[in-house]
Amino acid sequence: MTPAAVHTCAEPRPPHTPADSSGQRPPLYSLRNLVKEFDGPGEKVSVLQGLNLDIQEGESAAVVGASGSGKSTFLHILGTLAEPGGGELYFRGTNMRTLDAGAKARLRNESIGFVFQFHHLLPEFTTLENVAMQAVIGGCPMQAALDKAADILERVGLAGRARFAVGLLSGGERQRAAIARALMQDPVVLLADEPTGNLDEKNGMLVAELLVRLNAEQGTAMVVATHNPELAGRMARRFELKSGELYEQSR
Ligand SMILES: Nc1ncnc2c1ncn2[C@@H]1O[C@H](COP(=O)(O)OP(=O)(O)OP(=O)(O)O)[C@@H](O)[C@H]1O
Ligand SMILES: [Mg+2]
């Protein structure tokens, strides 16, 4: 199937926010003094302590840091899956505080692709079904969703595994399937949490290559939490999360 024949089933949207009267475009993300703490047993755990950061459209960024430093928490907040405890988060100039739960869900569906730390694929369904499922639930006609999923699986090198139950895939193939699923809605940004965790070196490299290619060829912005220095080194910007603060590392 040629790409032109694929019904996208994604809401048409402008490639980025229109410029304001002075010709300025807002960044993809702006964080202003963003904080997050959790109620631990008996004491509060302060995870993010006043983050200030802009990420531009189409940028790629890695977040590294020790286990427990807050990388997943950070990605969940960027994905509006968790609320910050204070400070502001802007997505394309809109303050996330101004959106109700329904509007945030729409934003996630239309614009944000997640690759979770634990991939959450459904083992008894095929790879193709796993990739297509959310779009079908969202109202995309079944055949259109399957056609698009097949097209994406080809892009991530899994065409030959489309009809396998996910439970039969290798770890690396599952991780690529999780990336394929996140691409179904043509997201503006991909948030990937340890996409090469638990993979051997070769499969880790394949996933890293795939992310770099998506960023370069489709302009998909990405924020990738990783312990993998090789993957972090392939992103345009690198940050270390340490003691609740983000430190940008120079090259
Ligand atoms: N819902 C929660 N309630 C209480 N504490 C939490 C909760 N979620 C996370 N934490 C704590 O916040 C801290 C940061 O967790 P997070 O999962 O963001 O770390 P991480 O950097 O992703 O670690 P890893 O590299 O192991 O995945 C940890 O100390 C964790 O115990
Ligand atoms: Mg984590």
Side-chain angles (χ1 to χ4, degrees), residues 7 34 55 58 72 91 98 116-117 167 173 188 220 226:
H7 186 299
L34 189 121
I55 296 174
S72 295
F91 182 83
T98 65
F116 291 99
Q117 186 161 9
E173 289 169 343
V188 173
T220 310
T226 185

Side-chain angles (χ1 to χ4, degrees), residues 3 16 29 31 54 109-110 139 162 173 177-178 182 209 229 231 247-248:
H16 36 58
Y29 281 112
L31 282 61
D54 286 345
N109 282 338
E110 290 172 12
E173 289 169 343
E209 291 291 342
L231 174 59
Y247 299 90
E248 184 153 13

Side-chain angles (χ1 to χ4, degrees), residues 60-64 208 212 226-238 249 251:
S60 66
V63 181
V64 302
V212 170
T226 185
H227 288 285
N228 180 341
E230 169 73 23
L231 174 59
R234 306 284 307 265
M235 299 289 117
R237 300 174 75 190
R238 275 175 302 154
Q249 301 174 332
R251 297 224 150 240

Side-chain angles (χ1 to χ4, degrees), residues 48-248:
L48 305 177
Q49 301 182 2
L51 306 186
N52 290 289
L53 172 69
D54 286 345
I55 296 174
Q56 306 299 334
E57 301 276 348
E59 259 188 341
S60 66
V63 181
V64 302
S67 181
S69 60
K71 302 179 298 298
S72 295
T73 304
F74 176 63
L75 286 190
H76 290 165
I77 290 175
L78 291 186
T80 77
L81 290 171
E83 295 272 341
E88 312 300 332
L89 172 68
Y90 298 86
F91 182 83
R92 294 184 148 180
T94 300
N95 190 331
M96 291 299 100
R97 227 182 254 290
T98 65
L99 301 188
D100 63 18
K104 279 188 197 156
R106 273 196 299 284
L107 175 88
R108 280 197 296 276
N109 282 338
E110 290 172 12
S111 302
I112 302 175
F114 283 96
V115 181
F116 291 99
Q117 186 161 9
F118 305 102
H119 52 71
H120 303 311
L121 295 164
L122 300 171
E124 66 275 26
F125 287 88
T126 67
T127 311
L128 188 68
E129 288 162 346
N130 265 278
V131 173
M133 196 172 296
Q134 196 57 41
V136 174
I137 292 168
C140 181
M142 176 73 83
Q143 195 54 52
L146 292 174
D147 287 350
K148 182 166 187 186
D151 189 55
I152 293 173
L153 283 173
E154 186 149 356
R155 267 195 271 151
V156 303
L158 282 182
R161 296 291 179 271
R163 308 220 169 257
F164 281 47
V166 154
L168 299 175
L169 300 187
S170 75
E173 289 169 343
R174 277 180 222 199
Q175 209 53 280
R176 280 185 282 151
I179 293 170
R181 180 181 52 183
L183 297 177
M184 263 306 272
Q185 292 301 106
D186 301 319
V188 173
V189 59
L190 196 65
L191 302 174
D193 198 352
E194 302 280 3
T196 62
N198 305 319
L199 298 185
D200 61 25
E201 202 178 325
K202 176 168 168 273
N203 278 294
M205 292 281 277
L206 282 175
V207 166
E209 291 291 342
L210 173 61
L211 292 176
V212 170
R213 190 155 51 82
L214 283 171
N215 179 249
E217 291 177 4
Q218 289 177 237
T220 310
M222 53 189 65
V223 183
V224 178
T226 185
H227 288 285
N228 180 341
E230 169 73 23
L231 174 59
R234 306 284 307 265
M235 299 289 117
R237 300 174 75 190
R238 275 175 302 154
F239 297 90
E240 183 176 8
L241 193 48
K242 199 173 174 181
S243 308
E245 298 191 38
L246 273 179
Y247 299 90
E248 184 153 13

